[in-house]
């Protein structure tokens, strides 16, 4: 996949947001795959009422 390119004039804002994410990039749909497979599997049968953050570590930094 191609990395997101900022719209003209928004490069600094985009950079400031990605700099605040420990993995230094925006997430992609494919980044959700592991969590989705886990939740759809029998391995998650005993998991209830949880929030699973798939955010590149952003929540840890806020």
């Amino acid at each position: 996949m191609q990395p997101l390119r900022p719209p003209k004039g928004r490069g600094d804002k985009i950079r400031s947001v990605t700099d605040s994410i420990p993995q230094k990039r925006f997430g992609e749909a494919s980044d959700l795959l592991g969590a989705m497979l886990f939740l759809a599997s029998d391995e998650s049968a005993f998991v209830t009422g949880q929030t699973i953050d798939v955010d590149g570590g952003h929540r840890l930094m806020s």
Side-chain angles (χ1 to χ4, degrees), residues 23-49:
Q23 292 196 8
K24 303 295 184 211
R25 65 178 180 84
F26 288 112
E28 299 174 1
S30 61
D31 293 321
L32 298 172
L33 185 59
M36 292 178 358
L37 288 172
F38 169 70
L39 292 171
S41 74
D42 290 339
E43 300 298 319
S44 68
F46 206 65
V47 176
T48 60

Side-chain angles (χ1 to χ4, degrees), residues 5-25:
R5 294 175 192 243
K8 284 192 171 191
R10 301 256 174 133
D12 291 337
K13 178 64 175 170
I14 299 290
R15 247 184 314 285
S16 72
V17 172
T18 56
D19 284 347
S20 71
I21 301 170
Q23 292 196 8
K24 303 295 184 211
R25 65 178 180 84

